Amino acid sequence: MNKPITDKLQPAAIPTGERPGSRKVYQSGTLWPDIRVPFREVAVHPSANEPPLTLYDPSGPYTDPTVRIDIEQGLARTREPWVVSRGDVEIVENPRAVKPEDNGFAKGEHLAPEFTAPRRVYRAKPGANVTQLEYARRGIITPEMEYVSIRENQRREAGAKFIRDGEDFGAEIPDICTPEFVRDEIARGRAIIPANINHTELEPMIIGRNFLVKINANIGNSAVLSHVSDEVDKMVWAIRCGADTVMDLSTGRNIHNIRDWIVRNSPVPIGTVPIYQALEKVGGVAEDLNWEVFRDTLIEQAEQGVDYFTIHAGVRLAYVPLTAGRVTGIVSRGGSIMAKWCLAHHKENFLYEHFEEICEIMKAYDVSFSLGDGLRPGSIADANDAAQFGELETLGELTQVAWRHNVQVMIEGPGHVPMHKIKANMDKQLKTCGEAPFYTLGPLTTDVAPGYDHITSAIGAAMIGWFGTAMLCYVTPKEHLGLPNREDVKVGVMTYKLAAHAADLAKGHPGARLWDDAISRARFEFRWEDQFNLGVDPETAREYHDETLPKEAMKTAHFCSMCGPKFCSMKISQDIRDAARQQNDVDINAGMAEMSQKFRDTGGEILVPVEPAE
Amino acid sequence: MNKPITDKLQPAAIPTGERPGSRKVYQSGTLWPDIRVPFREVAVHPSANEPPLTLYDPSGPYTDPTVRIDIEQGLARTREPWVVSRGDVEIVENPRAVKPEDNGFAKGEHLAPEFTAPRRVYRAKPGANVTQLEYARRGIITPEMEYVSIRENQRREAGAKFIRDGEDFGAEIPDICTPEFVRDEIARGRAIIPANINHTELEPMIIGRNFLVKINANIGNSAVLSHVSDEVDKMVWAIRCGADTVMDLSTGRNIHNIRDWIVRNSPVPIGTVPIYQALEKVGGVAEDLNWEVFRDTLIEQAEQGVDYFTIHAGVRLAYVPLTAGRVTGIVSRGGSIMAKWCLAHHKENFLYEHFEEICEIMKAYDVSFSLGDGLRPGSIADANDAAQFGELETLGELTQVAWRHNVQVMIEGPGHVPMHKIKANMDKQLKTCGEAPFYTLGPLTTDVAPGYDHITSAIGAAMIGWFGTAMLCYVTPKEHLGLPNREDVKVGVMTYKLAAHAADLAKGHPGARLWDDAISRARFEFRWEDQFNLGVDPETAREYHDETLPKEAMKTAHFCSMCGPKFCSMKISQDIRDAARQQNDVDINAGMAEMSQKFRDTGGEILVPVEPAE
């Protein structure tokens, strides 16, 4: 068996190694000394006389040069002892067996290989609830909670002075994130740690408006058979670029087996839309969906370790006709599946009807809800309409149900929304859903730019992130047009990374300015290598620079290609600053005449020798 | 002489021809029947049963298949009779002769060819003021004013119903833009028509908060000799993509000759930063600058037909020390030149001191001021600081001086500004500068993304455009890293085009929604060709689509590559809509059971036949 698997895996494709100029470092816990929280440390040139900058790092062991990656074994199951030691889980002796329909009846060479490395499957003991929300409300600080508190601080230390001049619209971000703060936010439902007890390879992360804004990248095989390694590669590529969670939106065949490979090799939470697989199991006929096949799919995926499920329980029968007058109707795939089911049976959405039973499953594995916005607007014309906001009211009601069960919840949001209607979405979500984390797609601020929807949506994403959205679902340049390739995934993730950071800055997150200031100092001091390495995408920055000034010497030059060697605004500014420093104790204006003379005498002209232009 | 010029011009490189799916159409004036205002008309598939969509079109005769382009002759001088017939201009009998320093003393094969087609040079008769502001205040509606009023309407007709649900923050955009409205806005200083009397090739356009948000693209040769045709090509490429004005930021040699080629072939306003050329004339030594060389440069460029000048008259001596504590000092090239001059001489900025004399020159040719923000912030850390806002106060004072001379003015703005500090920039500019049009660079909303600064800045640009900025200066992916190539120019212009449109939408511009709704209907109805052609960048949209579904047949398929042929949310929505229409007069909820049965009977399953997947 090994040979064919290896062939199909193409393990050479998985990107590993540290990112440029970066070093993988870890910080241990205090309450839980065994936890090791990863960071990316970027050292700068000695001339800067600055400590290295610590950045958040979702890339997992793939950027740790000391770890040997073997995707056939999966990542180390670091969380397994945490889960087991709580004493409230049991091993599932007869886990659900893989059925032919789980993989769309693929067989022979069309069947993706199984992930065969053995593992134990857990679930809560009868009557137990193993969610982080349950623990939080019982006053327990779990290793997951301490882990994310350390992670959020990015090695900032208590007592330091942070620049916090943002407008946070009522968020309550502390200078330093403590484990107790994490526990309290989870207990209040304002944050979630998506962490299925069967995803023990996970490096926990937190989603909530009082934490760093996170981003999600979607991957997924299409109808045509993908190599499983392609999907693992896409996931690794996305987190290497900076994705905090990954949704596997696979359709068609081999959904089960591919997901196994992804979860076993993922250090970030994996989300899915279970109705997609359920639909495949009933041959693609929405009317044939039923609670039993859906329930079976939830168990299947919960046992695999999926961390959050998008559930379109808010697409109620009564809302469906509200979409009839829309310009673009229903654009959510899950939403339209449920709408079709409701119409065909003229019955209430069975996900809504069975919501409490779904909660029972979620709490046995700690799968978090991502309550789907099946009626999100697909065009500017449909933004903030009765269908959309009707569904949001229902999601608020379901949030309360989930919280009664101590199940973690976040809420999905639009869609296409013009700028002036974005804040109303956030305000309504906070009010209706009791501050449960908002997880939005974009929103796209205009419909007119196919090919540039990563940008139309980054505008809306940055704004809604500022207003309080906890996680932004990326959009790639291929949105509306086709399936993203590797380059599109990179562009989408980088775009959302910068949008999320712009939101953190505007909110006044205590750690945000440190990053901007570090790169700006590097820019001002012509530390080109530092500017590349500190950027969201060092490789692209370097490549763009080298197109114009490719020579190695140019990377230490005190000028850039915009002003050229003869005249440089940055250099003049440094002269001004130096002059001001020399003046120091005398009044700076009174001393200007003197400065003027000194300036002429000592460095009044800045000419950097270069080769003649012709 | 012809041979070598033709070689250097490479005329084949100039892109011509209509844009995909578009037809060049013209609308005549009423007050001035001879004017012909160009539009891009995009016809949609007959199945849509819709009229064609009319879009704003800055691309000039290059997209008119009936016009023969010959860049050695330049464009037709359509405006010349308008200018002459006003009776207030005279032919300059001895225009300023080209001096060796105008081209940086380039000679022989290094000297770019002169533009040799003969033309007349005009200036105001002694004592006359030929600015659009002068005419507006005298109650005169010029052909330029009627031209832009027609242009702004995009063939919308009075009495039609427009969707206007935006938040305009005090803007006063009428449903229909009349020539009188244009005149009044110009008279109040709230809008400008940059239109040098010597740029008779111009197709006039207007910049003001009560009009469509415009975008500017920068071009310019670098120190190494460019072919003049490369620069003309860059300009044509930029306007073909959608740039409303173009700034020529050339430095080094051949500045004069290259600018001649650009202006003579440009249908859009050309802006420059005259201090760049003045600096070249004094050998790159800022201290050697003086009023005489600057004045001479203004005359030189005014006679060539430059439509607006960036003048850094607000960089006052007293503000320079305020930049000493900044993270990135002075990042404007013009700002740092003037700061250096001020420091070296310990004197007040000579542009400030000679501002009234500059006004005298501006009004003799109708060159508009673009008052430069030489102290704009170059990093998040420096946003909204004392240096920046001090300069803005001075720009407000200079605006009043220019208005006293009836010279048109716009104000340049930042820079790097986090989201929560953007609105303060707009509010302060409106107040300080009496609603003179704001023309901003970005602003970039974070410093951490070199390689993606078209996006970090598009976020800020869309927002500040919404708040009231009249024109957005584009930023390309190469910002901070290198000089943009053709692809970068395209990406920059398209990005800013969508940002400007997102701003128009949010402001509730009466024409904005028509575009979004047209493309959304095309998307919903799977009119793929229409979706491509209606987008800001048809070629890129098509290319992205074809990467996944290349076959021609797929462009008429009723599905896309996201959901695939088996299940399509758009198709289901159409079924819902059709069902709702059938119900029509009966209560839609009461009729749902019936609908449910019909749905099953008639089209409950949507399967589009395609080739089997394997």
Side-chain angles (χ1 to χ4, degrees):
Chain A
M1 268 302 274
N2 260 345
K3 179 79 173 56
I5 290 179
T6 309
D7 272 6
K8 286 196 182 177
L9 293 178
Q10 301 174 310
I14 308 300
T16 58
E18 289 173 324
R19 294 195 63 203
S22 299
R23 198 166 68 95
K24 190 92 176 183
V25 296
Y26 294 92
Q27 184 176 340
S28 300
T30 303
L31 302 173
W32 300 93
D34 288 348
I35 64 181
R36 291 176 79 227
V37 181
F39 294 104
R40 177 156 80 90
E41 186 184 85
V42 186
V44 294
H45 192 271
S47 67
N49 198 24
E50 287 178 20
L53 186 73
T54 301
L55 293 174
Y56 195 99
D57 180 11
S59 63
Y62 298 96
T63 48
D64 185 336
T66 68
V67 174
R68 190 178 154 270
I69 298 297
D70 177 355
I71 70 168
E72 298 197 35
Q73 290 303 311
L75 300 179
R77 293 172 190 155
T78 313
R79 266 186 81 222
E80 191 159 3
W82 310 355
V83 168
V84 173
S85 68
R86 289 194 269 258
D88 51 7
V89 299
E90 62 185 16
I91 294 174
V92 181
E93 296 299 346
N94 296 301
R96 182 186 173 286
V98 180
K99 304 174 189 172
E101 63 264 36
D102 298 350
N103 286 304
F105 302 98
K107 52 190 166 190
E109 60 172 318
H110 300 300
L111 178 64
E114 280 183 56
F115 183 88
T116 52
R119 75 177 175 102
R120 283 174 290 272
V121 174
Y122 296 99
R123 74 176 162 223
K125 286 180 177 166
N129 180 335
V130 299
T131 69
Q132 296 290 322
L133 179 52
E134 167 80 13
Y135 303 136
R137 287 183 171 172
R138 280 202 259 136
I140 298 166
I141 295 174
T142 62
E144 288 86 349
M145 295 176 199
E146 187 182 26
Y147 191 103
V148 301
S149 73
I150 294 168
R151 201 166 196 183
E152 291 287 316
N153 287 327
Q154 296 169 92
R155 302 206 289 184
R156 287 195 313 284
E157 283 176 14
K161 183 85 192 114
F162 306 114
I163 299 169
R164 305 196 58 175
D165 66 357
E167 162 58 58
D168 64 10
F169 299 106
E172 299 177 49
I173 308 170
D175 276 355
I176 293 291
C177 177
T178 63
E180 169 56 22
F181 179 76
V182 169
R183 188 205 60 74
D184 188 57
E185 287 290 295
I186 291 173
R188 294 171 67 164
R190 295 208 297 202
I192 67 170
I193 297 179
N196 185 321
I197 56 170
N198 287 309
H199 188 190
T200 51
E201 301 84 353
L202 183 75
E203 296 179 348
M205 52 79 72
I206 192 161
I207 301 168
R209 72 188 285 218
N210 293 321
F211 302 91
L212 291 161
V213 176
K214 305 303 189 299
I215 61 174
N216 172 71
N218 296 328
I219 62 170
N221 71 322
S222 53
V224 182
L225 175 67
S226 309
H227 284 286
V228 295
S229 68
D230 290 348
E231 296 307 310
V232 176
D233 171 69
K234 278 188 215 164
M235 179 273 292
V236 175
W237 181 241
I239 64 175
R240 189 178 178 82
C241 292
D244 295 294
T245 79
V246 167
M247 288 196 78
D248 174 12
L249 302 184
S250 292
T251 57
R253 302 180 177 199
N254 291 308
I255 294 185
H256 180 98
N257 284 3
I258 287 175
R259 188 168 49 232
D260 240 359
W261 287 95
I262 291 172
V263 176
R264 298 285 75 78
N265 285 287
S266 174
V268 305
I270 298 297
T272 64
V273 187
I275 202 82
Y276 289 2
Q277 187 178 17
L279 184 70
E280 300 288 342
K281 290 180 182 177
V282 295
V285 182
E287 301 88 305
D288 291 351
L289 282 166
N290 55 59
W291 166 241
E292 288 66 33
V293 72
F294 189 76
R295 183 183 184 285
D296 176 62
T297 305
L298 294 185
I299 303 282
E300 172 190 354
Q301 299 197 9
E303 286 190 354
Q304 282 185 300
V306 171
D307 301 288
Y308 62 92
F309 288 154
T310 294
I311 308 254
H312 295 95
V315 183
R316 298 191 62 179
L317 176 64
Y319 300 143
V320 177
L322 299 178
T323 67
R326 281 181 159 185
V327 168
T328 47
I330 300 176
V331 294
S332 150
R333 189 165 187 267
S336 65
I337 292 167
M338 294 317 302
K340 189 174 179 185
W341 188 92
C342 291
L343 283 188
H345 296 277
H346 190 60
K347 277 190 184 160
E348 187 56 275
N349 182 331
F350 68 83
L351 303 173
Y352 180 81
E353 302 268 295
H354 290 273
F355 195 75
E356 305 236 13
E357 290 160 86
I358 298 174
C359 290
E360 294 295 339
I361 296 168
M362 306 297 258
K363 68 190 184 195
Y365 303 90
D366 198 7
V367 182
S368 298
F369 275 111
S370 185
L371 292 177
D373 57 335
L375 303 180
R376 67 169 176 267
S379 57
I380 293 297
D382 298 341
N384 297 17
D385 72 355
Q388 183 197 341
F389 282 166
E391 182 184 34
L392 185 56
E393 294 283 346
T394 299
L395 300 187
E397 173 199 326
L398 296 173
T399 299
Q400 296 300 330
V401 177
W403 282 350
R404 259 198 331 266
H405 286 269
N406 287 353
V407 172
Q408 302 190 95
V409 189
M410 61 180 169
I411 311 291
E412 296 186 8
H416 292 236
V417 184
M419 281 189 286
H420 65 291
K421 293 186 178 175
I422 291 176
K423 190 146 191 303
N425 274 272
M426 190 70 233
D427 293 346
K428 189 168 176 67
Q429 190 273 343
L430 286 173
K431 185 158 176 285
T432 308
C433 302
E435 292 189 78
F438 206 22
Y439 166 31
T440 64
L441 179 72
L444 286 71
T445 53
T446 169
D447 305 336
V448 302
Y452 297 82
D453 279 328
H454 58 310
I455 304 177
T456 63
S457 67
I459 294 167
M463 290 175 70
I464 206 164
W466 174 26
F467 301 150
T469 287
M471 185 157 78
L472 308 170
C473 182
Y474 90 163
V475 171
T476 78
K478 290 278 171 62
E479 183 75 14
H480 298 123
L481 298 169
L483 293 173
N485 60 25
R486 214 168 189 262
E487 179 64 18
D488 297 321
V489 168
K490 186 186 86 174
V491 171
V493 173
M494 295 302 180
T495 299
Y496 271 66
K497 190 76 198 160
L498 72 86
H501 182 69
D504 287 333
L505 260 183
K507 287 167 81 176
H509 189 287
R513 268 286 294 279
L514 299 171
W515 190 6
D516 295 79
D517 291 355
I519 198 167
S520 288
R521 284 190 300 269
R523 185 169 285 154
F524 186 66
E525 292 163 13
F526 293 100
R527 288 183 272 117
W528 285 102
E529 294 287 340
D530 292 351
Q531 196 191 154
F532 303 150
N533 293 338
L534 289 165
V536 294
D537 184 355
E539 292 90 345
T540 298
R542 177 185 302 272
E543 178 196 318
Y544 285 1
H545 175 270
D546 289 1
E547 275 182 34
T548 314
L549 293 173
K551 291 182 192 151
E552 275 310 305
M554 294 300 182
K555 290 201 198 66
T556 54
H558 276 201
F559 62 89
C560 59
S561 56
M562 279 70 79
C563 293
K566 275 187 95 175
F567 197 91
C568 168
S569 59
M570 291 282 198
K571 188 72 186 73
I572 290 175
S573 295
Q574 287 176 332
D575 292 336
I576 294 169
R577 182 193 282 186
D578 293 346
R581 279 198 186 128
Q582 283 168 25
Q583 287 303 109
N584 212 8
D585 295 327
V586 298
D587 169 64
I588 201 156
N589 274 305
M592 284 294 264
E594 194 185 334
M595 273 168 65
S596 155
Q597 192 50 49
K598 266 195 200 151
F599 187 78
R600 280 162 171 274
D601 293 348
T602 60
E605 188 48 33
I606 298 104
L607 277 164
V608 181
V610 284
E611 305 97 310
E614 73 240 44
Chain B
M1 269 300 277
N2 260 345
K3 179 82 171 59
I5 290 179
T6 308
D7 272 7
K8 285 196 182 175
L9 292 178
Q10 300 176 311
I14 308 300
T16 58
E18 290 173 321
R19 295 195 62 204
S22 299
R23 197 167 68 95
K24 189 92 177 182
V25 296
Y26 294 91
Q27 184 175 340
S28 300
T30 303
L31 302 174
W32 301 93
D34 288 348
I35 64 181
R36 292 177 77 226
V37 182
F39 294 104
R40 177 156 79 90
E41 186 183 85
V42 186
V44 295
H45 192 271
S47 67
N49 197 25
E50 287 178 21
L53 186 74
T54 301
L55 293 175
Y56 195 98
D57 180 11
S59 63
Y62 297 95
T63 48
D64 185 336
T66 69
V67 174
R68 190 178 155 270
I69 298 295
D70 178 355
I71 70 168
E72 298 196 34
Q73 291 302 314
L75 300 178
R77 293 173 191 155
T78 312
R79 267 186 80 224
E80 192 159 2
W82 310 356
V83 169
V84 172
S85 67
R86 290 194 269 256
D88 51 6
V89 300
E90 63 185 15
I91 294 175
V92 180
E93 295 300 345
N94 296 302
R96 181 186 173 286
V98 179
K99 304 174 189 172
E101 63 264 36
D102 297 351
N103 285 305
F105 302 98
K107 52 189 166 191
E109 61 171 319
H110 300 300
L111 178 63
E114 280 182 57
F115 184 87
T116 52
R119 75 177 176 102
R120 284 175 290 273
V121 175
Y122 296 99
R123 73 175 162 225
K125 285 180 180 166
N129 179 336
V130 298
T131 68
Q132 296 289 323
L133 179 52
E134 168 79 13
Y135 302 135
R137 286 183 172 171
R138 281 202 259 136
I140 298 167
I141 294 175
T142 62
E144 288 86 349
M145 294 174 199
E146 187 182 25
Y147 191 104
V148 302
S149 75
I150 294 168
R151 201 167 196 184
E152 290 289 316
N153 287 328
Q154 297 169 91
R155 302 205 289 182
R156 288 194 312 283
E157 283 174 16
K161 183 85 192 110
F162 307 113
I163 299 169
R164 305 196 58 174
D165 65 357
E167 161 59 58
D168 65 9
F169 299 105
E172 299 177 50
I173 307 170
D175 275 356
I176 293 289
C177 178
T178 63
E180 170 56 21
F181 179 75
V182 168
R183 190 206 58 75
D184 188 57
E185 288 290 297
I186 292 173
R188 294 171 67 163
R190 294 207 296 201
I192 67 171
I193 296 179
N196 185 320
I197 56 170
N198 286 309
H199 189 190
T200 51
E201 302 85 352
L202 183 75
E203 296 179 349
M205 52 79 71
I206 192 162
I207 301 169
R209 72 187 286 217
N210 293 321
F211 302 92
L212 290 161
V213 176
K214 305 303 188 299
I215 61 173
N216 170 72
N218 296 326
I219 61 169
N221 71 323
S222 53
V224 182
L225 175 69
S226 308
H227 285 286
V228 295
S229 67
D230 289 348
E231 295 308 310
V232 176
D233 171 70
K234 277 187 215 165
M235 179 272 292
V236 175
W237 181 242
I239 66 176
R240 188 178 178 83
C241 293
D244 295 293
T245 80
V246 167
M247 288 196 79
D248 174 12
L249 302 184
S250 292
T251 56
R253 301 180 178 201
N254 292 307
I255 294 185
H256 180 98
N257 285 3
I258 286 176
R259 188 169 49 232
D260 240 0
W261 286 95
I262 291 173
V263 176
R264 298 285 73 80
N265 285 289
S266 175
V268 304
I270 298 296
T272 63
V273 187
I275 202 80
Y276 290 2
Q277 189 179 15
L279 184 69
E280 299 288 342
K281 291 181 182 178
V282 296
V285 182
E287 299 88 305
D288 292 352
L289 284 166
N290 55 60
W291 166 241
E292 288 67 34
V293 72
F294 189 76
R295 183 183 183 286
D296 175 63
T297 306
L298 294 185
I299 303 281
E300 171 190 354
Q301 299 196 11
E303 286 190 354
Q304 282 185 301
V306 172
D307 301 288
Y308 62 90
F309 289 154
T310 294
I311 308 254
H312 295 95
V315 183
R316 297 192 61 180
L317 176 64
Y319 300 143
V320 177
L322 298 177
T323 66
R326 282 181 158 185
V327 168
T328 48
I330 300 175
V331 294
S332 151
R333 191 167 184 264
S336 64
I337 292 168
M338 293 317 302
K340 190 175 179 183
W341 188 93
C342 291
L343 284 188
H345 296 278
H346 191 62
K347 276 191 184 157
E348 187 55 275
N349 182 330
F350 68 84
L351 303 173
Y352 179 82
E353 302 268 295
H354 290 273
F355 195 74
E356 304 236 12
E357 290 159 86
I358 298 173
C359 290
E360 294 296 338
I361 297 168
M362 306 298 260
K363 69 191 184 195
Y365 303 90
D366 197 8
V367 183
S368 298
F369 276 111
S370 184
L371 293 177
D373 56 335
L375 303 181
R376 69 170 174 267
S379 57
I380 293 298
D382 298 340
N384 297 18
D385 72 355
Q388 183 196 341
F389 281 165
E391 182 184 34
L392 186 56
E393 294 283 345
T394 298
L395 299 186
E397 173 200 325
L398 296 173
T399 299
Q400 296 298 331
V401 176
W403 283 350
R404 260 200 327 268
H405 287 268
N406 287 354
V407 172
Q408 303 190 92
V409 190
M410 61 181 169
I411 311 292
E412 296 185 8
H416 293 235
V417 184
M419 283 189 284
H420 65 292
K421 293 187 177 174
I422 291 176
K423 190 146 190 304
N425 275 273
M426 190 68 233
D427 293 345
K428 188 170 177 67
Q429 190 274 342
L430 287 172
K431 186 159 176 285
T432 307
C433 302
E435 292 190 78
F438 206 22
Y439 167 32
T440 64
L441 177 75
L444 287 71
T445 53
T446 169
D447 305 335
V448 303
Y452 298 82
D453 279 329
H454 58 309
I455 305 177
T456 63
S457 67
I459 295 167
M463 290 174 70
I464 205 163
W466 174 26
F467 300 150
T469 287
M471 185 158 77
L472 307 171
C473 181
Y474 89 163
V475 171
T476 78
K478 290 279 169 62
E479 182 77 12
H480 298 122
L481 298 170
L483 293 172
N485 59 27
R486 214 167 188 265
E487 178 65 19
D488 297 322
V489 168
K490 187 186 85 174
V491 170
V493 173
M494 296 302 181
T495 299
Y496 270 66
K497 190 76 198 158
L498 73 86
H501 182 71
D504 287 332
L505 260 183
K507 286 167 81 177
H509 189 287
R513 267 287 292 279
L514 299 171
W515 191 5
D516 295 79
D517 291 355
I519 198 168
S520 288
R521 284 190 300 269
R523 186 170 284 153
F524 186 66
E525 291 163 12
F526 294 99
R527 291 182 272 117
W528 285 102
E529 294 287 340
D530 293 351
Q531 195 191 154
F532 303 151
N533 294 336
L534 289 165
V536 294
D537 183 356
E539 292 90 344
T540 298
R542 178 185 301 272
E543 177 195 320
Y544 285 0
H545 176 269
D546 289 0
E547 274 181 36
T548 315
L549 292 174
K551 290 184 191 148
E552 275 311 305
M554 294 300 181
K555 291 202 197 65
T556 54
H558 275 202
F559 62 89
C560 58
S561 55
M562 279 71 80
C563 294
K566 275 188 95 176
F567 197 89
C568 168
S569 59
M570 292 282 198
K571 188 73 187 72
I572 290 174
S573 296
Q574 287 175 332
D575 293 336
I576 293 169
R577 183 193 281 185
D578 293 346
R581 280 198 186 128
Q582 284 170 25
Q583 286 302 112
N584 212 7
D585 295 327
V586 299
D587 169 65
I588 199 155
N589 274 304
M592 285 294 264
E594 194 185 332
M595 273 167 65
S596 154
Q597 192 52 48
K598 264 193 203 154
F599 186 78
R600 278 162 172 272
D601 292 350
T602 60
E605 187 51 31
I606 297 104
L607 276 163
V608 180
V610 286
E611 305 97 310
E614 72 237 46

